[in-house]
Amino acid sequence: MASDSPDPLMTLCTDYCLYNLEGTLCYLLDNETLRLHPDIFLPSEICDRLVNEYVELVNADTIFEHNENFFTLFSEPRSTRLARIHLREDIVQDQDLEAIRKQDLVELFLTNCEKLTAKSLQTLGSFSPTLVSLSLFGCTNIFYEEENPGGCEDDLNPTRQVLVKDFTFEGFSRLRFLNLGQMTKGVNVESLLRPLASLTALDLSGIQLNDIIFLTQWKDSLASLVLYNMDLCEEHVQVIAQLRKLRHLDISRDRLSSYYKFKLTQWVLNLFVENLVNLTSLDISGHIMLENCCSSSEDEKVGQTSISPEMSSITPLRNLKQPLQFLGLFETTLCHLSHIPAYKVTGAKSEEQVLNAIEAYTEHRPEITSRAINNLFDITRIEHCNQHLRALKLVITALKCHKYDKNIQVTGSATLFYLTHAEYRLEQSIKLRRQVVQVVLSGMESYQEVTVQRNCCLTLCNFSIPEEVEFQYRRVNELLLNILNPTRQDESIQRIAVHLCNALVCQVDNDHKEAVGKMGFVMCDQVMEFSWSALWNITDETPNNCEMFLNYSGMKLFLECLKEFPDKQELHRNMLGLLGNVAEVEELRPQLMTSQFISVFSNLLDSEADGIEVSYNACGVLSHIMFDGPEAWMISEPRREEVVDRMWAAIQRWDVNSRRNINYRSFEPILRLIPQGISPVSQHWATWALYNLVSVYPDKYCPLLIKEGGLLLLSDMIKMASARPETKEMGRKVIEHCNNFMDKNMDTSR
């Protein structure tokens, strides 16, 4: 089972400081600019955590706001030290790197920072004496600068961007790790890299180079080389074979991206195995094998699967001295073989291979990751996922990392639905399930695509509502209410959304219900029945929401729905339940005192729709109105006595053993009708309601009635001269039921 242990103290403190910068590390200068307190000194271990976690929060948490002055807090090394920072996406701009240029950075990872320009190339030079690891992956504009920086720009003459061709890594004497993946076309890679004396790791993903002979200048130091999606040729292969220190080689490709002339052959694999004797990791995913590199089918059937090189089903790999630590075979036929000489393999043959693929490719290859998650989706949909905790964490990471990638959001959200099913729930910690909720909500906020919205709503249905989402209560409701906007025409999503809204407001406190009311429920014809149910719930013991219902023409809508849907029993029950909540609010009852409304309520007393529910709710509305006394009866028709007679007749028709489609969290609105003599029929309705509920659901409602002092009120009512005999008799039965319940459940152990 996933751990529910709290986060490390460092994490908790870091997050608290970031959410409360002004109250902890900083003060506001001139009421607008954040400044670090002058008596603070923070070592690199803390500063690195603050910066890296800040970037994560800005990208993942919509509640967390980006502060344009944040990076200036780390401008002075005498008070804040930075060493290893990972920045990503568009929140990072040229001025942010400029703000920290005095820092002695050892590691700087910039991932998909598309707002960085050539100004940041100049800033990188400030880090050159200390920088060991640098990633510029996906920083597609960092080699561009304005053609005329001081010129005049307007709509007719926008500033032209030109490619910087004179920048090199001259002076970066300590640089060992470099990632230039997805670098802009036109940059002379050889000239750029030539000054680097001893690279150990180089990533040139997505860069097309006709000649890579310059790589041999690092043949005695280069341990890792990534040439993902580079269209190779025989000359490339010959150069690679000279890099004898390589431990990791990645020549994989995206099978769907474009046409590749290069085909992987047995000769190529043999060349790598013979020359790259230190190789422990090889990725050839996506390649088509030009000739047969596999053992015969007879060999495949012999014995159990083995990772031993001499047993390898991939014949060129039989010459390996030991199994590889990693072998990428995703979207190749080789992953389906039995004997693969590697401890970790990516592919589509098994759950293990698929999870390995998601893990290996998530950060930099969303196009591959989405297809791997799609494979996982098929597994979770059809089979049982054996490593569901690992799978869940990997999908969460992919969704957070690529929140604007349509394919990942669609496949990832669909997979989450199956991974959060009841069969896996017991092994999932509260912390992990909260992560799912947060990534689902982020997906709904970031991507309005219909399929994503539907998948996310369905995933939320796998959670206990409202308990498991209460920590994000307002955010959930705002997203669901947005789905209910009439301009959105997808009926299936709206139905799911209203079901969730209904569940959200059914069991929470009144503060939450009032908050939902203030957000404003939107009615849609397609989800009318569900919407009334939700309105019933958010007005329960919440007077402000009841008032909003009346102020926004709720009674007009009630009459229109009653006329438009005369035979929808569930709808009638829900509408009358809501009006019962309105009638419980004394100051709102005068708005119900019209001939039209009272006539409608009186006629519904005779309804047999949904068992007794519609008649019961109509009688409840009238009972509260009658409680105000004859002087509050401001209409001539129908007469008060006539309505009272119809109420008595209706109650006598009801079966006291009727099972109910209702849920009371408190009896307070009913109990207030017991100790009074103004309206005996209201008193009788309240007593009947209690009698029915404690008779049919004693385990639930006897304790509630006892807890809220109902037995004392009933005892006093029995002594009242104004109470009707049948009401008193029913009151005695309620008390008897509750006493029997207490006797039955009393602890007699010694």
Side-chain angles (χ1 to χ4, degrees), residues 1-5 351 384-393 419-434 436 468:
M1 178 175 177
S3 172
D4 250 333
S5 59
E351 178 183 318
H384 178 82
C385 184
N386 296 312
Q387 301 182 61
H388 74 273
L389 291 178
R390 181 189 177 201
L392 193 54
K393 292 173 184 176
L419 287 173
T420 53
H421 269 184
E423 63 178 304
Y424 304 122
R425 184 171 183 171
L426 288 178
E427 295 182 55
Q428 294 171 358
S429 67
I430 295 173
K431 185 191 301 183
L432 183 59
R433 288 179 70 81
R434 283 192 170 191
V436 176
E468 288 192 284

Side-chain angles (χ1 to χ4, degrees), residues 306-483:
S306 171
I307 63 170
S308 176
E310 59 266 23
M311 293 284 293
S312 175
S313 300
I314 307 170
T315 50
L317 301 187
R318 289 179 180 176
N319 293 323
L320 288 169
K321 299 295 186 291
Q322 57 188 3
L324 296 170
Q325 295 296 318
F326 175 90
L327 180 57
L329 300 176
F330 189 73
E331 294 187 324
T332 70
T333 56
L334 301 180
C335 71
H336 297 281
L337 298 173
S338 298
H339 310 307
I340 300 175
Y343 293 102
K344 181 176 284 190
V345 178
T346 69
K349 177 185 178 182
S350 65
E351 178 183 318
E352 176 71 18
Q353 287 187 2
V354 169
L355 294 179
N356 289 341
I358 299 172
E359 187 174 66
Y361 308 130
T362 286
E363 185 174 10
H364 292 142
R365 301 178 193 175
E367 65 280 4
I368 305 296
T369 305
S370 65
R371 301 204 289 274
I373 294 176
N374 197 55
N375 288 334
L376 178 62
F377 168 76
D378 289 336
I379 292 171
T380 59
R381 180 173 57 90
I382 301 170
E383 309 168 24
H384 178 82
C385 184
N386 296 312
Q387 301 182 61
H388 74 273
L389 291 178
R390 181 189 177 201
L392 193 54
K393 292 173 184 176
L394 288 173
V395 174
I396 289 171
T397 299
L399 288 169
K400 288 170 67 175
C401 192
H402 303 286
K403 63 180 181 180
Y404 296 114
D405 187 286
K406 176 181 177 180
N407 292 328
I408 284 184
Q409 290 298 320
V410 169
T411 57
S413 57
T415 306
L416 282 185
F417 170 70
Y418 288 101
L419 287 173
T420 53
H421 269 184
E423 63 178 304
Y424 304 122
R425 184 171 183 171
L426 288 178
E427 295 182 55
Q428 294 171 358
S429 67
I430 295 173
K431 185 191 301 183
L432 183 59
R433 288 179 70 81
R434 283 192 170 191
Q435 290 177 21
V436 176
V437 171
Q438 288 175 314
V439 80
V440 162
L441 299 182
S442 294
M444 293 174 73
E445 288 163 339
S446 304
Y447 214 89
Q448 298 301 311
E449 207 274 337
V450 171
T451 308
V452 172
Q453 297 283 312
R454 182 186 298 111
N455 292 345
C456 290
C457 284
L458 287 170
T459 299
L460 289 176
C461 291
N462 288 337
F463 288 75
S464 295
I465 309 291
E467 295 85 1
E468 288 192 284
V469 299
E470 200 163 357
F471 75 106
Q472 296 279 293
Y473 192 83
R474 185 177 184 89
R475 189 179 173 199
V476 176
N477 275 295
E478 286 175 343
L479 286 166
L480 294 176
L481 291 174
N482 182 54
I483 290 174

Side-chain angles (χ1 to χ4, degrees), residues 660-699:
R660 309 298 305 284
N661 197 348
I662 199 166
N663 180 40
Y664 283 103
R665 293 189 304 118
S666 171
F667 282 141
E668 194 277 330
I670 293 176
L671 292 176
R672 73 172 71 131
L673 300 177
I674 299 292
Q676 53 89 20
I678 298 173
S679 174
V681 71
S682 302
Q683 189 180 59
H684 190 69
W685 173 83
T687 307
W688 188 95
L690 297 175
Y691 184 31
N692 165 252
L693 292 169
V694 300
S695 299
V696 180
Y697 308 103
D699 292 343

Side-chain angles (χ1 to χ4, degrees), residues 56 61 78 201 238 377 452 460 517 532 630 652 664 681 687 733:
E56 287 299 313
D61 190 341
R78 286 176 296 181
Q238 295 286 4
F377 168 76
V452 172
L460 289 176
W532 278 101
Q652 289 169 0
Y664 283 103
V681 71
T687 307
K733 291 181 179 179

Side-chain angles (χ1 to χ4, degrees), residues 55 59 71 85-97 108-121 124 134-144 179 181-182 184 363-364 401:
V55 173
N59 284 314
F71 288 93
I85 58 173
H86 295 200
L87 312 179
R88 61 183 306 118
E89 311 298 340
D90 290 347
I91 66 162
V92 184
Q93 302 186 45
D94 292 328
Q95 59 266 31
D96 298 321
L97 284 187
L108 175 61
F109 284 10
L110 302 170
T111 304
N112 296 322
C113 300
E114 296 184 354
K115 289 190 176 181
L116 296 182
T117 70
K119 293 178 182 178
S120 289
L121 284 181
L124 288 180
L134 173 65
S135 173
L136 301 178
F137 182 90
C139 299
T140 52
N141 295 310
I142 200 167
F143 282 90
Y144 281 104
N179 186 338
Q182 310 302 331
T184 306
E363 185 174 10
H364 292 142
C401 192

Side-chain angles (χ1 to χ4, degrees), residues 493-511:
I493 300 179
Q494 289 182 329
R495 286 184 176 273
I496 302 167
V498 175
H499 166 75
L500 288 167
C501 283
N502 198 3
L504 278 167
V505 298
C506 190
Q507 295 289 340
V508 294
D509 60 41
N510 292 344
D511 288 340

Side-chain angles (χ1 to χ4, degrees), residues 656 667 670-671 674 683-695 698 701-703 705-706 709-715 717-718 726-742:
V656 78
F667 282 141
I670 293 176
L671 292 176
I674 299 292
Q683 189 180 59
H684 190 69
W685 173 83
T687 307
W688 188 95
L690 297 175
Y691 184 31
N692 165 252
L693 292 169
V694 300
S695 299
Y701 289 117
C702 283
L705 184 59
I706 295 166
L711 300 191
L712 182 59
L713 292 175
L714 289 168
S715 297
M717 180 272 290
I718 292 170
E726 54 267 47
T727 306
K728 294 180 179 182
E729 178 58 27
M730 199 171 288
R732 292 188 187 95
K733 291 181 179 179
V734 174
I735 294 172
E736 182 182 344
H737 267 286
C738 289
N739 287 334
N740 289 339
F741 175 83
M742 285 192 292

